[in-house]
Amino acid sequence: MTSWVLFPRLHLAEVEDQSWCPSWLREHSHNSLARMWRTSNSRNGSPSTQACDLLLRALGGLKHASQFTFIDACAGAGGPTPLLERAMNARLAASGYKPVTFVLTDLWPDVKAWEKITKSSEHITYIDEPIDATKPRVLARPGTKECRIFNLCFHHFDDAAAEKVLATAVQSTDAFVIFEMTHRTLPSLLNTTMVILSVFVTTIYDFYWSPVHLLFTYLVPLVPIFYAIDGYVSCVRGRTAEETWELLYRQPDLALDEWELKSGEQTALLPFGKLYWYSGVNKAATV
């Protein structure tokens, strides 16, 4: 069942997008996102497990997926990539296919965080130079196809930048998949509210050793205010499939005849958490 969109899209500002956002606030947010990706409270599995299923479905199954390099286009501190890599390569191995590589990239590379991730998996690498997702560039390993993944980040781009990001994906890759957990829908707003309130529990669990986190959660509630601002603004920034694909269709120089564009949503976390996905696959890549 498709959720109703409640209001028009607005590209408002998020705190975490600002250069002055304190690192300890970003750390809290990154911890929360990591927990979200690995939490499983339904028969469909965790959001990362479901994202892996959706990747395989978009690419036409394990045989085709085994031919790709997966590029995390806006990796941040690593996001769900370690979980996606583990799930994807476990399924490939079980069916007799060789493992695939996941590559972490970002305009602002978090090399310190990525080094820790790559030490735990030989199938995750990173590019330590800034990678601008709005500029065409092939990033896949030689001899493989490229699937570019946008994990909970596409809403950060305004329309002008989003146009370039999608155009670059069409020009430089064989497939792309966008995942979002925020949108202009009632389930998303309710789920965001639960996330905001959850910081009163997660802070003591994750940061019991940090006076700064404890102070600005329980005595001076900057952390919940930060979550409220960025959470609801992320919802307001969400795009429908029609709005997303219109960013492509209004670029007449793009050759889209061979591209298959799909979208959908599904419950990823009970009771309200929805995973919204948008995929584009060059038909020649799955022949």
Side-chain angles (χ1 to χ4, degrees), residues 107-131:
L107 185 60
W108 308 101
D110 190 344
V111 174
K112 184 177 180 180
W114 297 352
E115 285 178 342
K116 293 180 181 179
I117 291 171
T118 56
K119 287 178 181 177
S120 65
S121 174
E122 61 180 314
H123 305 301
I124 300 177
T125 64
Y126 64 84
I127 299 176
D128 60 6
E129 64 182 276
I131 300 296

mmCIF file with all atom_site columns, all heavy atoms in Angstrom, residues 107-131:
data_model
loop_
_atom_site.group_PDB
_atom_site.id
_atom_site.type_symbol
_atom_site.label_atom_id
_atom_site.label_alt_id
_atom_site.label_comp_id
_atom_site.label_asym_id
_atom_site.label_entity_id
_atom_site.label_seq_id
_atom_site.pdbx_PDB_ins_code
_atom_site.Cartn_x
_atom_site.Cartn_y
_atom_site.Cartn_z
_atom_site.occupancy
_atom_site.B_iso_or_equiv
_atom_site.pdbx_formal_charge
_atom_site.auth_seq_id
_atom_site.auth_comp_id
_atom_site.auth_asym_id
_atom_site.auth_atom_id
_atom_site.pdbx_PDB_model_num
ATOM 1   N N   . LEU A 1 107 ? 32.042 13.110  -0.908 1.00 0.00 ? 107 LEU A N   1
ATOM 2   C CA  . LEU A 1 107 ? 32.662 14.407  -1.188 1.00 0.00 ? 107 LEU A CA  1
ATOM 3   C C   . LEU A 1 107 ? 33.595 14.802  -0.044 1.00 0.00 ? 107 LEU A C   1
ATOM 4   O O   . LEU A 1 107 ? 34.572 15.528  -0.244 1.00 0.00 ? 107 LEU A O   1
ATOM 5   C CB  . LEU A 1 107 ? 31.582 15.470  -1.394 1.00 0.00 ? 107 LEU A CB  1
ATOM 6   C CG  . LEU A 1 107 ? 32.044 16.862  -1.824 1.00 0.00 ? 107 LEU A CG  1
ATOM 7   C CD1 . LEU A 1 107 ? 32.796 16.805  -3.155 1.00 0.00 ? 107 LEU A CD1 1
ATOM 8   C CD2 . LEU A 1 107 ? 30.854 17.812  -1.919 1.00 0.00 ? 107 LEU A CD2 1
ATOM 9   N N   . TRP A 1 108 ? 33.288 14.298  1.160  1.00 0.00 ? 108 TRP A N   1
ATOM 10  C CA  . TRP A 1 108 ? 34.103 14.554  2.350  1.00 0.00 ? 108 TRP A CA  1
ATOM 11  C C   . TRP A 1 108 ? 34.502 13.197  2.942  1.00 0.00 ? 108 TRP A C   1
ATOM 12  O O   . TRP A 1 108 ? 33.865 12.704  3.863  1.00 0.00 ? 108 TRP A O   1
ATOM 13  C CB  . TRP A 1 108 ? 33.334 15.389  3.374  1.00 0.00 ? 108 TRP A CB  1
ATOM 14  C CG  . TRP A 1 108 ? 32.742 16.632  2.800  1.00 0.00 ? 108 TRP A CG  1
ATOM 15  C CD1 . TRP A 1 108 ? 31.440 16.840  2.441  1.00 0.00 ? 108 TRP A CD1 1
ATOM 16  C CD2 . TRP A 1 108 ? 33.432 17.850  2.488  1.00 0.00 ? 108 TRP A CD2 1
ATOM 17  N NE1 . TRP A 1 108 ? 31.268 18.106  1.937  1.00 0.00 ? 108 TRP A NE1 1
ATOM 18  C CE2 . TRP A 1 108 ? 32.481 18.757  1.952  1.00 0.00 ? 108 TRP A CE2 1
ATOM 19  C CE3 . TRP A 1 108 ? 34.754 18.276  2.617  1.00 0.00 ? 108 TRP A CE3 1
ATOM 20  C CZ2 . TRP A 1 108 ? 32.813 20.037  1.541  1.00 0.00 ? 108 TRP A CZ2 1
ATOM 21  C CZ3 . TRP A 1 108 ? 35.091 19.543  2.204  1.00 0.00 ? 108 TRP A CZ3 1
ATOM 22  C CH2 . TRP A 1 108 ? 34.138 20.412  1.680  1.00 0.00 ? 108 TRP A CH2 1
ATOM 23  N N   . PRO A 1 109 ? 35.538 12.562  2.409  1.00 0.00 ? 109 PRO A N   1
ATOM 24  C CA  . PRO A 1 109 ? 35.899 11.204  2.830  1.00 0.00 ? 109 PRO A CA  1
ATOM 25  C C   . PRO A 1 109 ? 36.217 11.112  4.321  1.00 0.00 ? 109 PRO A C   1
ATOM 26  O O   . PRO A 1 109 ? 37.018 11.890  4.836  1.00 0.00 ? 109 PRO A O   1
ATOM 27  C CB  . PRO A 1 109 ? 37.148 10.903  1.986  1.00 0.00 ? 109 PRO A CB  1
ATOM 28  C CG  . PRO A 1 109 ? 37.102 11.865  0.847  1.00 0.00 ? 109 PRO A CG  1
ATOM 29  C CD  . PRO A 1 109 ? 36.449 13.089  1.376  1.00 0.00 ? 109 PRO A CD  1
ATOM 30  N N   . ASP A 1 110 ? 35.573 10.156  4.984  1.00 0.00 ? 110 ASP A N   1
ATOM 31  C CA  . ASP A 1 110 ? 35.853 9.900   6.393  1.00 0.00 ? 110 ASP A CA  1
ATOM 32  C C   . ASP A 1 110 ? 36.816 8.718   6.461  1.00 0.00 ? 110 ASP A C   1
ATOM 33  O O   . ASP A 1 110 ? 36.438 7.595   6.818  1.00 0.00 ? 110 ASP A O   1
ATOM 34  C CB  . ASP A 1 110 ? 34.551 9.597   7.140  1.00 0.00 ? 110 ASP A CB  1
ATOM 35  C CG  . ASP A 1 110 ? 34.733 9.563   8.650  1.00 0.00 ? 110 ASP A CG  1
ATOM 36  O OD1 . ASP A 1 110 ? 35.884 9.471   9.111  1.00 0.00 ? 110 ASP A OD1 1
ATOM 37  O OD2 . ASP A 1 110 ? 33.713 9.617   9.372  1.00 0.00 ? 110 ASP A OD2 1
ATOM 38  N N   . VAL A 1 111 ? 38.054 8.976   6.097  1.00 0.00 ? 111 VAL A N   1
ATOM 39  C CA  . VAL A 1 111 ? 39.048 7.909   5.932  1.00 0.00 ? 111 VAL A CA  1
ATOM 40  C C   . VAL A 1 111 ? 39.276 7.146   7.233  1.00 0.00 ? 111 VAL A C   1
ATOM 41  O O   . VAL A 1 111 ? 39.432 5.916   7.228  1.00 0.00 ? 111 VAL A O   1
ATOM 42  C CB  . VAL A 1 111 ? 40.372 8.489   5.399  1.00 0.00 ? 111 VAL A CB  1
ATOM 43  C CG1 . VAL A 1 111 ? 41.454 7.418   5.355  1.00 0.00 ? 111 VAL A CG1 1
ATOM 44  C CG2 . VAL A 1 111 ? 40.154 9.080   4.012  1.00 0.00 ? 111 VAL A CG2 1
ATOM 45  N N   . LYS A 1 112 ? 39.274 7.849   8.352  1.00 0.00 ? 112 LYS A N   1
ATOM 46  C CA  . LYS A 1 112 ? 39.498 7.191   9.643  1.00 0.00 ? 112 LYS A CA  1
ATOM 47  C C   . LYS A 1 112 ? 38.434 6.130   9.906  1.00 0.00 ? 112 LYS A C   1
ATOM 48  O O   . LYS A 1 112 ? 38.754 5.000   10.330 1.00 0.00 ? 112 LYS A O   1
ATOM 49  C CB  . LYS A 1 112 ? 39.505 8.228   10.760 1.00 0.00 ? 112 LYS A CB  1
ATOM 50  C CG  . LYS A 1 112 ? 39.828 7.662   12.125 1.00 0.00 ? 112 LYS A CG  1
ATOM 51  C CD  . LYS A 1 112 ? 39.881 8.762   13.184 1.00 0.00 ? 112 LYS A CD  1
ATOM 52  C CE  . LYS A 1 112 ? 40.209 8.200   14.560 1.00 0.00 ? 112 LYS A CE  1
ATOM 53  N NZ  . LYS A 1 112 ? 40.249 9.275   15.592 1.00 0.00 ? 112 LYS A NZ  1
ATOM 54  N N   . ALA A 1 113 ? 37.171 6.469   9.668  1.00 0.00 ? 113 ALA A N   1
ATOM 55  C CA  . ALA A 1 113 ? 36.086 5.500   9.871  1.00 0.00 ? 113 ALA A CA  1
ATOM 56  C C   . ALA A 1 113 ? 36.159 4.377   8.846  1.00 0.00 ? 113 ALA A C   1
ATOM 57  O O   . ALA A 1 113 ? 35.922 3.208   9.165  1.00 0.00 ? 113 ALA A O   1
ATOM 58  C CB  . ALA A 1 113 ? 34.735 6.205   9.789  1.00 0.00 ? 113 ALA A CB  1
ATOM 59  N N   . TRP A 1 114 ? 36.495 4.718   7.613  1.00 0.00 ? 114 TRP A N   1
ATOM 60  C CA  . TRP A 1 114 ? 36.538 3.716   6.553  1.00 0.00 ? 114 TRP A CA  1
ATOM 61  C C   . TRP A 1 114 ? 37.669 2.721   6.752  1.00 0.00 ? 114 TRP A C   1
ATOM 62  O O   . TRP A 1 114 ? 37.531 1.548   6.397  1.00 0.00 ? 114 TRP A O   1
ATOM 63  C CB  . TRP A 1 114 ? 36.660 4.402   5.195  1.00 0.00 ? 114 TRP A CB  1
ATOM 64  C CG  . TRP A 1 114 ? 35.492 5.275   4.836  1.00 0.00 ? 114 TRP A CG  1
ATOM 65  C CD1 . TRP A 1 114 ? 34.304 5.390   5.514  1.00 0.00 ? 114 TRP A CD1 1
ATOM 66  C CD2 . TRP A 1 114 ? 35.397 6.154   3.708  1.00 0.00 ? 114 TRP A CD2 1
ATOM 67  N NE1 . TRP A 1 114 ? 33.480 6.287   4.886  1.00 0.00 ? 114 TRP A NE1 1
ATOM 68  C CE2 . TRP A 1 114 ? 34.122 6.779   3.774  1.00 0.00 ? 114 TRP A CE2 1
ATOM 69  C CE3 . TRP A 1 114 ? 36.266 6.486   2.672  1.00 0.00 ? 114 TRP A CE3 1
ATOM 70  C CZ2 . TRP A 1 114 ? 33.705 7.699   2.823  1.00 0.00 ? 114 TRP A CZ2 1
ATOM 71  C CZ3 . TRP A 1 114 ? 35.845 7.397   1.719  1.00 0.00 ? 114 TRP A CZ3 1
ATOM 72  C CH2 . TRP A 1 114 ? 34.584 8.001   1.789  1.00 0.00 ? 114 TRP A CH2 1
ATOM 73  N N   . GLU A 1 115 ? 38.772 3.166   7.299  1.00 0.00 ? 115 GLU A N   1
ATOM 74  C CA  . GLU A 1 115 ? 39.885 2.247   7.552  1.00 0.00 ? 115 GLU A CA  1
ATOM 75  C C   . GLU A 1 115 ? 39.468 1.136   8.512  1.00 0.00 ? 115 GLU A C   1
ATOM 76  O O   . GLU A 1 115 ? 39.841 -0.028  8.341  1.00 0.00 ? 115 GLU A O   1
ATOM 77  C CB  . GLU A 1 115 ? 41.083 3.010   8.116  1.00 0.00 ? 115 GLU A CB  1
ATOM 78  C CG  . GLU A 1 115 ? 41.828 3.835   7.073  1.00 0.00 ? 115 GLU A CG  1
ATOM 79  C CD  . GLU A 1 115 ? 42.978 4.622   7.667  1.00 0.00 ? 115 GLU A CD  1
ATOM 80  O OE1 . GLU A 1 115 ? 42.991 4.801   8.915  1.00 0.00 ? 115 GLU A OE1 1
ATOM 81  O OE2 . GLU A 1 115 ? 43.855 5.070   6.902  1.00 0.00 ? 115 GLU A OE2 1
ATOM 82  N N   . LYS A 1 116 ? 38.692 1.490   9.530  1.00 0.00 ? 116 LYS A N   1
ATOM 83  C CA  . LYS A 1 116 ? 38.202 0.478   10.477 1.00 0.00 ? 116 LYS A CA  1
ATOM 84  C C   . LYS A 1 116 ? 37.295 -0.523  9.772  1.00 0.00 ? 116 LYS A C   1
ATOM 85  O O   . LYS A 1 116 ? 37.343 -1.729  10.039 1.00 0.00 ? 116 LYS A O   1
ATOM 86  C CB  . LYS A 1 116 ? 37.449 1.160   11.620 1.00 0.00 ? 116 LYS A CB  1
ATOM 87  C CG  . LYS A 1 116 ? 38.322 2.023   12.520 1.00 0.00 ? 116 LYS A CG  1
ATOM 88  C CD  . LYS A 1 116 ? 37.492 2.655   13.627 1.00 0.00 ? 116 LYS A CD  1
ATOM 89  C CE  . LYS A 1 116 ? 38.341 3.532   14.528 1.00 0.00 ? 116 LYS A CE  1
ATOM 90  N NZ  . LYS A 1 116 ? 37.536 4.176   15.601 1.00 0.00 ? 116 LYS A NZ  1
ATOM 91  N N   . ILE A 1 117 ? 36.447 -0.008  8.871  1.00 0.00 ? 117 ILE A N   1
ATOM 92  C CA  . ILE A 1 117 ? 35.512 -0.882  8.159  1.00 0.00 ? 117 ILE A CA  1
ATOM 93  C C   . ILE A 1 117 ? 36.261 -1.841  7.239  1.00 0.00 ? 117 ILE A C   1
ATOM 94  O O   . ILE A 1 117 ? 35.971 -3.044  7.205  1.00 0.00 ? 117 ILE A O   1
ATOM 95  C CB  . ILE A 1 117 ? 34.501 -0.035  7.350  1.00 0.00 ? 117 ILE A CB  1
ATOM 96  C CG1 . ILE A 1 117 ? 33.569 0.715   8.300  1.00 0.00 ? 117 ILE A CG1 1
ATOM 97  C CG2 . ILE A 1 117 ? 33.697 -0.908  6.390  1.00 0.00 ? 117 ILE A CG2 1
ATOM 98  C CD1 . ILE A 1 117 ? 32.673 1.732   7.620  1.00 0.00 ? 117 ILE A CD1 1
ATOM 99  N N   . THR A 1 118 ? 37.226 -1.322  6.492  1.00 0.00 ? 118 THR A N   1
ATOM 100 C CA  . THR A 1 118 ? 37.928 -2.166  5.529  1.00 0.00 ? 118 THR A CA  1
ATOM 101 C C   . THR A 1 118 ? 38.795 -3.231  6.202  1.00 0.00 ? 118 THR A C   1
ATOM 102 O O   . THR A 1 118 ? 39.073 -4.274  5.609  1.00 0.00 ? 118 THR A O   1
ATOM 103 C CB  . THR A 1 118 ? 38.797 -1.314  4.586  1.00 0.00 ? 118 THR A CB  1
ATOM 104 O OG1 . THR A 1 118 ? 39.712 -0.519  5.359  1.00 0.00 ? 118 THR A OG1 1
ATOM 105 C CG2 . THR A 1 118 ? 37.926 -0.371  3.750  1.00 0.00 ? 118 THR A CG2 1
ATOM 106 N N   . LYS A 1 119 ? 39.198 -2.976  7.434  1.00 0.00 ? 119 LYS A N   1
ATOM 107 C CA  . LYS A 1 119 ? 39.974 -3.982  8.159  1.00 0.00 ? 119 LYS A CA  1
ATOM 108 C C   . LYS A 1 119 ? 39.123 -5.205  8.523  1.00 0.00 ? 119 LYS A C   1
ATOM 109 O O   . LYS A 1 119 ? 39.660 -6.288  8.742  1.00 0.00 ? 119 LYS A O   1
ATOM 110 C CB  . LYS A 1 119 ? 40.565 -3.371  9.433  1.00 0.00 ? 119 LYS A CB  1
ATOM 111 C CG  . LYS A 1 119 ? 41.729 -2.417  9.162  1.00 0.00 ? 119 LYS A CG  1
ATOM 112 C CD  . LYS A 1 119 ? 42.246 -1.802  10.458 1.00 0.00 ? 119 LYS A CD  1
ATOM 113 C CE  . LYS A 1 119 ? 43.398 -0.830  10.182 1.00 0.00 ? 119 LYS A CE  1
ATOM 114 N NZ  . LYS A 1 119 ? 43.872 -0.173  11.423 1.00 0.00 ? 119 LYS A NZ  1
ATOM 115 N N   . SER A 1 120 ? 37.814 -5.021  8.573  1.00 0.00 ? 120 SER A N   1
ATOM 116 C CA  . SER A 1 120 ? 36.925 -6.117  8.947  1.00 0.00 ? 120 SER A CA  1
ATOM 117 C C   . SER A 1 120 ? 36.374 -6.863  7.729  1.00 0.00 ? 120 SER A C   1
ATOM 118 O O   . SER A 1 120 ? 35.705 -7.885  7.893  1.00 0.00 ? 120 SER A O   1
ATOM 119 C CB  . SER A 1 120 ? 35.763 -5.597  9.797  1.00 0.00 ? 120 SER A CB  1
ATOM 120 O OG  . SER A 1 120 ? 34.939 -4.730  9.043  1.00 0.00 ? 120 SER A OG  1
ATOM 121 N N   . SER A 1 121 ? 36.626 -6.356  6.534  1.00 0.00 ? 121 SER A N   1
ATOM 122 C CA  . SER A 1 121 ? 36.157 -7.044  5.332  1.00 0.00 ? 121 SER A CA  1
ATOM 123 C C   . SER A 1 121 ? 37.098 -6.772  4.170  1.00 0.00 ? 121 SER A C   1
ATOM 124 O O   . SER A 1 121 ? 37.352 -5.613  3.821  1.00 0.00 ? 121 SER A O   1
ATOM 125 C CB  . SER A 1 121 ? 34.744 -6.598  4.951  1.00 0.00 ? 121 SER A CB  1
ATOM 126 O OG  . SER A 1 121 ? 34.371 -7.174  3.700  1.00 0.00 ? 121 SER A OG  1
ATOM 127 N N   . GLU A 1 122 ? 37.572 -7.841  3.550  1.00 0.00 ? 122 GLU A N   1
ATOM 128 C CA  . GLU A 1 122 ? 38.463 -7.686  2.396  1.00 0.00 ? 122 GLU A CA  1
ATOM 129 C C   . GLU A 1 122 ? 37.703 -7.282  1.140  1.00 0.00 ? 122 GLU A C   1
ATOM 130 O O   . GLU A 1 122 ? 38.322 -6.976  0.101  1.00 0.00 ? 122 GLU A O   1
ATOM 131 C CB  . GLU A 1 122 ? 39.204 -8.996  2.145  1.00 0.00 ? 122 GLU A CB  1
ATOM 132 C CG  . GLU A 1 122 ? 38.299 -10.177 1.826  1.00 0.00 ? 122 GLU A CG  1
ATOM 133 C CD  . GLU A 1 122 ? 39.077 -11.454 1.594  1.00 0.00 ? 122 GLU A CD  1
ATOM 134 O OE1 . GLU A 1 122 ? 40.087 -11.391 0.849  1.00 0.00 ? 122 GLU A OE1 1
ATOM 135 O OE2 . GLU A 1 122 ? 38.692 -12.493 2.159  1.00 0.00 ? 122 GLU A OE2 1
ATOM 136 N N   . HIS A 1 123 ? 36.368 -7.252  1.217  1.00 0.00 ? 123 HIS A N   1
ATOM 137 C CA  . HIS A 1 123 ? 35.561 -6.941  0.039  1.00 0.00 ? 123 HIS A CA  1
ATOM 138 C C   . HIS A 1 123 ? 34.974 -5.533  0.095  1.00 0.00 ? 123 HIS A C   1
ATOM 139 O O   . HIS A 1 123 ? 34.085 -5.203  -0.689 1.00 0.00 ? 123 HIS A O   1
ATOM 140 C CB  . HIS A 1 123 ? 34.448 -7.975  -0.122 1.00 0.00 ? 123 HIS A CB  1
ATOM 141 C CG  . HIS A 1 123 ? 34.963 -9.382  -0.179 1.00 0.00 ? 123 HIS A CG  1
ATOM 142 N ND1 . HIS A 1 123 ? 35.853 -9.813  -1.144 1.00 0.00 ? 123 HIS A ND1 1
ATOM 143 C CD2 . HIS A 1 123 ? 34.739 -10.452 0.628  1.00 0.00 ? 123 HIS A CD2 1
ATOM 144 C CE1 . HIS A 1 123 ? 36.148 -11.083 -0.936 1.00 0.00 ? 123 HIS A CE1 1
ATOM 145 N NE2 . HIS A 1 123 ? 35.485 -11.493 0.127  1.00 0.00 ? 123 HIS A NE2 1
ATOM 146 N N   . ILE A 1 124 ? 35.459 -4.731  1.024  1.00 0.00 ? 124 ILE A N   1
ATOM 147 C CA  . ILE A 1 124 ? 35.092 -3.312  1.081  1.00 0.00 ? 124 ILE A CA  1
ATOM 148 C C   . ILE A 1 124 ? 36.366 -2.490  0.926  1.00 0.00 ? 124 ILE A C   1
ATOM 149 O O   . ILE A 1 124 ? 37.353 -2.724  1.620  1.00 0.00 ? 124 ILE A O   1
ATOM 150 C CB  . ILE A 1 124 ? 34.395 -2.949  2.406  1.00 0.00 ? 124 ILE A CB  1
ATOM 151 C CG1 . ILE A 1 124 ? 33.116 -3.763  2.604  1.00 0.00 ? 124 ILE A CG1 1
ATOM 152 C CG2 . ILE A 1 124 ? 34.042 -1.455  2.427  1.00 0.00 ? 124 ILE A CG2 1
ATOM 153 C CD1 . ILE A 1 124 ? 32.418 -3.492  3.924  1.00 0.00 ? 124 ILE A CD1 1
ATOM 154 N N   . THR A 1 125 ? 36.330 -1.552  -0.005 1.00 0.00 ? 125 THR A N   1
ATOM 155 C CA  . THR A 1 125 ? 37.446 -0.641  -0.199 1.00 0.00 ? 125 THR A CA  1
ATOM 156 C C   . THR A 1 125 ? 36.916 0.791   -0.144 1.00 0.00 ? 125 THR A C   1
ATOM 157 O O   . THR A 1 125 ? 35.711 1.009   0.008  1.00 0.00 ? 125 THR A O   1
ATOM 158 C CB  . THR A 1 125 ? 38.143 -0.883  -1.549 1.00 0.00 ? 125 THR A CB  1
ATOM 159 O OG1 . THR A 1 125 ? 37.219 -0.592  -2.613 1.00 0.00 ? 125 THR A OG1 1
ATOM 160 C CG2 . THR A 1 125 ? 38.610 -2.322  -1.667 1.00 0.00 ? 125 THR A CG2 1
ATOM 161 N N   . TYR A 1 126 ? 37.811 1.742   -0.277 1.00 0.00 ? 126 TYR A N   1
ATOM 162 C CA  . TYR A 1 126 ? 37.377 3.135   -0.291 1.00 0.00 ? 126 TYR A CA  1
ATOM 163 C C   . TYR A 1 126 ? 38.284 3.957   -1.193 1.00 0.00 ? 126 TYR A C   1
ATOM 164 O O   . TYR A 1 126 ? 39.408 3.553   -1.527 1.00 0.00 ? 126 TYR A O   1
ATOM 165 C CB  . TYR A 1 126 ? 37.339 3.721   1.116  1.00 0.00 ? 126 TYR A CB  1
ATOM 166 C CG  . TYR A 1 126 ? 38.671 3.817   1.815  1.00 0.00 ? 126 TYR A CG  1
ATOM 167 C CD1 . TYR A 1 126 ? 39.532 4.899   1.609  1.00 0.00 ? 126 TYR A CD1 1
ATOM 168 C CD2 . TYR A 1 126 ? 39.077 2.818   2.706  1.00 0.00 ? 126 TYR A CD2 1
ATOM 169 C CE1 . TYR A 1 126 ? 40.755 4.985   2.259  1.00 0.00 ? 126 TYR A CE1 1
ATOM 170 C CE2 . TYR A 1 126 ? 40.300 2.895   3.353  1.00 0.00 ? 126 TYR A CE2 1
ATOM 171 C CZ  . TYR A 1 126 ? 41.133 3.978   3.135  1.00 0.00 ? 126 TYR A CZ  1
ATOM 172 O OH  . TYR A 1 126 ? 42.341 4.054   3.765  1.00 0.00 ? 126 TYR A OH  1
ATOM 173 N N   . ILE A 1 127 ? 37.768 5.090   -1.625 1.00 0.00 ? 127 ILE A N   1
ATOM 174 C CA  . ILE A 1 127 ? 38.547 6.057   -2.393 1.00 0.00 ? 127 ILE A CA  1
ATOM 175 C C   . ILE A 1 127 ? 38.797 7.246   -1.480 1.00 0.00 ? 127 ILE A C   1
ATOM 176 O O   . ILE A 1 127 ? 37.844 7.882   -1.016 1.00 0.00 ? 127 ILE A O   1
ATOM 177 C CB  . ILE A 1 127 ? 37.803 6.491   -3.670 1.00 0.00 ? 127 ILE A CB  1
ATOM 178 C CG1 . ILE A 1 127 ? 37.554 5.269   -4.563 1.00 0.00 ? 127 ILE A CG1 1
ATOM 179 C CG2 . ILE A 1 127 ? 38.589 7.566   -4.425 1.00 0.00 ? 127 ILE A CG2 1
ATOM 180 C CD1 . ILE A 1 127 ? 36.732 5.565   -5.802 1.00 0.00 ? 127 ILE A CD1 1
ATOM 181 N N   . ASP A 1 128 ? 40.042 7.533   -1.208 1.00 0.00 ? 128 ASP A N   1
ATOM 182 C CA  . ASP A 1 128 ? 40.346 8.539   -0.185 1.00 0.00 ? 128 ASP A CA  1
ATOM 183 C C   . ASP A 1 128 ? 40.322 9.973   -0.706 1.00 0.00 ? 128 ASP A C   1
ATOM 184 O O   . ASP A 1 128 ? 40.448 10.917  0.071  1.00 0.00 ? 128 ASP A O   1
ATOM 185 C CB  . ASP A 1 128 ? 41.688 8.246   0.494  1.00 0.00 ? 128 ASP A CB  1
ATOM 186 C CG  . ASP A 1 128 ? 42.858 8.234   -0.479 1.00 0.00 ? 128 ASP A CG  1
ATOM 187 O OD1 . ASP A 1 128 ? 42.654 8.568   -1.672 1.00 0.00 ? 128 ASP A OD1 1
ATOM 188 O OD2 . ASP A 1 128 ? 43.975 7.883   -0.069 1.00 0.00 ? 128 ASP A OD2 1
ATOM 189 N N   . GLU A 1 129 ? 40.128 10.155  -1.999 1.00 0.00 ? 129 GLU A N   1
ATOM 190 C CA  . GLU A 1 129 ? 39.991 11.501  -2.540 1.00 0.00 ? 129 GLU A CA  1
ATOM 191 C C   . GLU A 1 129 ? 38.516 11.883  -2.627 1.00 0.00 ? 129 GLU A C   1
ATOM 192 O O   . GLU A 1 129 ? 37.643 11.005  -2.689 1.00 0.00 ? 129 GLU A O   1
ATOM 193 C CB  . GLU A 1 129 ? 40.623 11.586  -3.931 1.00 0.00 ? 129 GLU A CB  1
ATOM 194 C CG  . GLU A 1 129 ? 39.918 10.709  -4.959 1.00 0.00 ? 129 GLU A CG  1
ATOM 195 C CD  . GLU A 1 129 ? 40.579 10.769  -6.316 1.00 0.00 ? 129 GLU A CD  1
ATOM 196 O OE1 . GLU A 1 129 ? 40.263 11.714  -7.070 1.00 0.00 ? 129 GLU A OE1 1
ATOM 197 O OE2 . GLU A 1 129 ? 41.391 9.869   -6.613 1.00 0.00 ? 129 GLU A OE2 1
ATOM 198 N N   . PRO A 1 130 ? 38.191 13.176  -2.580 1.00 0.00 ? 130 PRO A N   1
ATOM 199 C CA  . PRO A 1 130 ? 36.785 13.590  -2.669 1.00 0.00 ? 130 PRO A CA  1
ATOM 200 C C   . PRO A 1 130 ? 36.153 13.150  -3.995 1.00 0.00 ? 130 PRO A C   1
ATOM 201 O O   . PRO A 1 130 ? 36.738 13.348  -5.062 1.00 0.00 ? 130 PRO A O   1
ATOM 202 C CB  . PRO A 1 130 ? 36.858 15.112  -2.581 1.00 0.00 ? 130 PRO A CB  1
ATOM 203 C CG  . PRO A 1 130 ? 38.155 15.390  -1.893 1.00 0.00 ? 130 PRO A CG  1
ATOM 204 C CD  . PRO A 1 130 ? 39.093 14.319  -2.340 1.00 0.00 ? 130 PRO A CD  1
ATOM 205 N N   . ILE A 1 131 ? 34.981 12.540  -3.918 1.00 0.00 ? 131 ILE A N   1
ATOM 206 C CA  . ILE A 1 131 ? 34.232 12.116  -5.098 1.00 0.00 ? 131 ILE A CA  1
ATOM 207 C C   . ILE A 1 131 ? 32.916 12.893  -5.126 1.00 0.00 ? 131 ILE A C   1
ATOM 208 O O   . ILE A 1 131 ? 32.075 12.748  -4.232 1.00 0.00 ? 131 ILE A O   1
ATOM 209 C CB  . ILE A 1 131 ? 33.958 10.604  -5.093 1.00 0.00 ? 131 ILE A CB  1
ATOM 210 C CG1 . ILE A 1 131 ? 35.280 9.823   -5.061 1.00 0.00 ? 131 ILE A CG1 1
ATOM 211 C CG2 . ILE A 1 131 ? 33.110 10.220  -6.298 1.00 0.00 ? 131 ILE A CG2 1
ATOM 212 C CD1 . ILE A 1 131 ? 36.152 9.999   -6.269 1.00 0.00 ? 131 ILE A CD1 1
#
